[in-house]
Amino acid sequence: MAVAGETVAVKDGKRNVNGVAKKEPYLKQQFIEGAFPEEKIPPGSFWAMGDNRNQSGDSRGFGPVEGNKILGKARSEEHK
């Protein structure tokens, strides 16, 4: 959802990266409940948020995730 050096926040029901609200058409609930103050992602870390934003335990609760602790592979839609 955000990478090292970027800022992330939840404001007015939207995820903001570097002060810009991001469109997330894949979310069932478009409005993210609550607010989260802007936080800068430290070097080597990432910000994770679940697709079920209003029920997810994610970086809003446990903070940025160090890259060396992330397991898995990312795939684009064209590689399905």
Side-chain angles (χ1 to χ4, degrees), residues 34-76:
F36 189 86
E38 187 172 86
E39 182 169 338
K40 186 170 183 174
I41 311 307
S45 296
F46 298 85
W47 188 263
M49 291 179 82
D51 288 348
N52 186 2
R53 298 286 159 76
N54 295 324
Q55 303 298 318
S56 293
D58 54 32
S59 286
R60 290 172 290 173
F62 52 74
V65 179
E66 294 176 12
N68 63 355
K69 295 185 178 177
I70 298 174
L71 303 174
K73 293 182 180 181
R75 294 183 351 166
S76 68

Side-chain angles (χ1 to χ4, degrees), residues 16-41:
N16 288 257
V17 176
N18 295 329
V20 178
K22 297 297 180 180
K23 293 182 182 179
E24 299 180 294
Y26 48 85
L27 295 179
K28 287 185 179 180
Q29 295 175 313
Q30 289 294 307
F31 186 86
I32 303 171
E33 295 173 3
F36 189 86
E38 187 172 86
E39 182 169 338
K40 186 170 183 174
I41 311 307

